[in-house]
Amino acid sequence: MSTKGLMQNRPLRIIDILMFAAEAFPEQGLVSSREEGDIHRTTYPESLARASQLAHGLVEMGIRPGDRVATLAWNGYRHFELYYAISGLGAICHTVNPRLSREQMIYILNHAGDSALFIDQSLLPVVESISDDLPPGIKLVAMTDVGNVPASSLETDCYEKILAGNSRHFDWPEFAEETAAGLCYTSGTTGNPKGALYTHRSTVLHALMTIAGHQQCLKSGTAALPVVPLFHVNAWGMPYTAPIVGMSMVMPGRYLDGASLFSLMDAEKVYSAWGVPTVWAGLLKEIQNRGRPPEGFTDLVVGGSAAPRSMIEAFENMGISVNQAWGMTEMSPIGTRGQLPAPLRNAPLQERIDAKVGAGRRLFGVDFKLIGENGEELPHDGKAEGELFVRGNTIVSGYYNNDKATSAAFDDAGWFATGDIATLARDGHLIIRDRSKDMIKSGGEWISSIDIENTAISHPDIATCAVIAVPHPKWDERPILIAVPSSDNLPTLEDIHALLSAHFAKWQMPDDIVFMEDLPLTSTGKISKLTLRKKFADYVHPDFRNA
């Protein structure tokens, strides 16, 4: 018979993170590029005081535990305050992605049943365009001061007015750590977006797990730049990890072009920056234009989609360590750590880059398994490819108010099906070969679109690219390359084949190259292959153009 230990058991609360940071790191805080056009600076003690004032204001608005309070905002100090005030009350912070389609935004606001919506100035037109379809009785708040509330057809309150005059202390309630704290809807799906409902427990554990796995990237006394938006899976948890370790956060707002990011990072001596490859491509170009990286920039975390080898190599040659992280909205979201294991840290550069091309190694607390086409569990030998399943304390157990989607997403043992095709090495090193729906099956054999893309993008005349499948009567599917040129010198298909020939069999190479001015992106900045497939639905394969 087992015996319980004699240890205290305190529920994990998100607000305790900010209370700790205010006490332990009073000199650290946030630097924000504001909608008002200036740079705003604050400390963690001041953020806690303002979150307390906001909590009083939320209670006066009628917000109660369990209510969903939505945000439609860029990265900034007010959004950060909302994170802590809402969850601190026992309510649920529902971050809304402004890049969603009109239909998706209307769906998630109503599906969540939000009681209030806090809106950045520049995003008020988005809400105006859907005002007739908002949830009944929802309260709207413009995230600015009284003097800067823009003219609008909406009836809005003012953020700073809600805080004004309230006590800078709040008696934060205690509740079970399983209490819901955050709600994020995933766009990486078919059909309507699906909600991941995080708890205080899962959020705090995710922060601690991320810190343990990304020690090089999260350092006390330095500054981090979350380019990944606060509306996208809690900015990968950075509003929680940075305060715990005593890092300041530099918030870029909506200014994510290469020149703006370079100037902000250079002025604030950003140590570590986190975001998706499409943003880093713009920064890399600006670095090349200026002939140097931003001062103090040492560490880069890439997620959302895989960084191509050429990008990793470019940053590494500047002395900037690149760390890839992989995860999903359903995973809170980080599931891997991209830092090199000790035996490889002093290896030759090319060997280190080889090890960084994959998605990293699993975080403590996240379990992986691979399942083959016939339902068999596959070995973690770095060779067997199967669908990746995950489980852990930071993984969803279901979708919010969506039993149908829940039943389809888990196996009988409760593992979550990621939809990613992957290999796993014995040391937990994960390589995502493709999304199961993005794999190309030609003549019964699989072709990885990601592998082709990562090689093709190293061509100097290609800025970005995507590989999709097109129908073929003989081979079922064949790959084509869709590319955005970086110059007037358009590479030929023969040029691409010559580049790929060292890495791919002839039958794996794309049958055509098509140029576009821009590739369509999803709301989270990834290339939308779904949109490309629709665009090329009537594409005629070269084998049959003269038939």
Side-chain angles (χ1 to χ4, degrees), residues 113-182:
D114 293 307
S115 299
L117 173 59
F118 285 75
I119 316 155
D120 260 342
Q121 296 176 62
S122 62
L123 297 173
L124 278 169
V126 176
V127 182
E128 288 174 337
S129 70
I130 62 171
S131 59
D132 292 340
D133 297 295
L134 293 172
I138 191 171
K139 300 178 177 67
L140 306 178
V141 180
M143 293 171 62
T144 185
D145 54 46
V146 174
N148 283 291
V149 175
S152 173
S153 61
L154 301 172
E155 183 179 338
T156 62
D157 206 338
C158 170
Y159 186 92
E160 295 298 334
K161 184 179 177 182
I162 289 174
L163 272 68
N166 289 338
S167 171
R168 291 165 64 86
H169 172 80
F170 191 84
D171 290 324
W172 303 102
E174 292 196 3
F175 34 70
E177 62 184 15
E178 294 82 9
T179 299

Side-chain angles (χ1 to χ4, degrees), residues 177-188:
E177 62 184 15
E178 294 82 9
T179 299
L183 179 60
C184 290
Y185 282 77
T186 177
S187 58

Side-chain angles (χ1 to χ4, degrees), residues 194 270 342 474 479:
K194 301 172 180 64
V270 166
K474 180 177 180 180

Side-chain angles (χ1 to χ4, degrees), residues 278 281 453 456-457 459 461-466 481-486 515-519 521 527:
T278 49
E453 291 160 1
I457 202 171
H459 193 286
D461 295 319
I462 290 182
T464 188
C465 65
L481 176 70
I482 302 167
V484 175
S486 59
F515 293 101
M516 294 178 64
E517 291 185 4
D518 294 291
L519 295 183
L521 301 179
I527 294 172

Side-chain angles (χ1 to χ4, degrees), residues 368-542:
F368 291 161
K369 71 175 179 180
L370 293 178
I371 301 298
E373 288 185 344
N374 298 318
E376 74 281 15
E377 190 164 347
L378 301 176
H380 297 184
D381 58 5
K383 299 176 181 178
E385 292 189 11
E387 183 174 4
L388 180 65
F389 284 69
V390 295
R391 71 175 180 186
N393 290 303
T394 58
I395 315 296
V396 295
S397 61
Y399 288 111
Y400 179 64
N401 284 348
N402 195 331
D403 292 339
K404 182 179 180 181
T406 296
S407 63
F410 298 85
D411 69 10
D412 293 340
W415 290 69
F416 175 74
T418 67
D420 281 322
I421 303 299
T423 59
L424 277 167
R426 291 182 180 87
D427 63 356
H429 189 204
L430 173 70
I431 296 181
I432 303 295
R433 298 300 181 181
D434 225 317
R435 289 290 292 173
S436 57
K437 61 188 177 185
D438 288 340
M439 293 289 282
I440 300 167
K441 200 166 191 178
S442 179
E445 298 290 340
W446 291 108
I447 300 173
S448 170
S449 61
I450 290 178
D451 288 347
I452 297 175
E453 291 160 1
N454 285 343
T455 304
I457 202 171
S458 65
H459 193 286
D461 295 319
I462 290 182
T464 188
C465 65
V467 172
I468 63 169
V470 294
H472 192 284
K474 180 177 180 180
W475 303 111
D476 188 28
E477 293 179 340
R478 290 297 300 157
I480 64 168
L481 176 70
I482 302 167
V484 175
S486 59
S487 69
D488 293 332
N489 299 318
L490 301 183
T492 65
L493 186 61
E494 289 71 26
D495 294 333
I496 298 302
H497 282 185
L499 180 65
L500 298 176
S501 62
H503 308 283
F504 301 94
K506 185 176 181 180
W507 65 268
Q508 293 176 311
M509 296 189 194
D511 288 352
D512 198 5
I513 181 169
V514 180
F515 293 101
M516 294 178 64
E517 291 185 4
D518 294 291
L519 295 183
L521 301 179
T522 68
S523 57
T524 55
K526 302 176 186 178
I527 294 172
S528 175
K529 291 191 178 180
L530 178 62
T531 302
L532 287 174
R533 289 191 197 97
K534 290 179 179 177
K535 180 177 179 61
F536 288 88
D538 298 323
Y539 170 89
V540 178
H541 192 277

Side-chain angles (χ1 to χ4, degrees), residues 204-221:
V204 175
L205 287 176
H206 180 267
L208 297 174
M209 289 158 52
T210 302
I211 291 166
H214 294 264
Q215 298 170 33
Q216 174 185 314
C217 316
L218 297 162
K219 286 189 174 182
S220 179

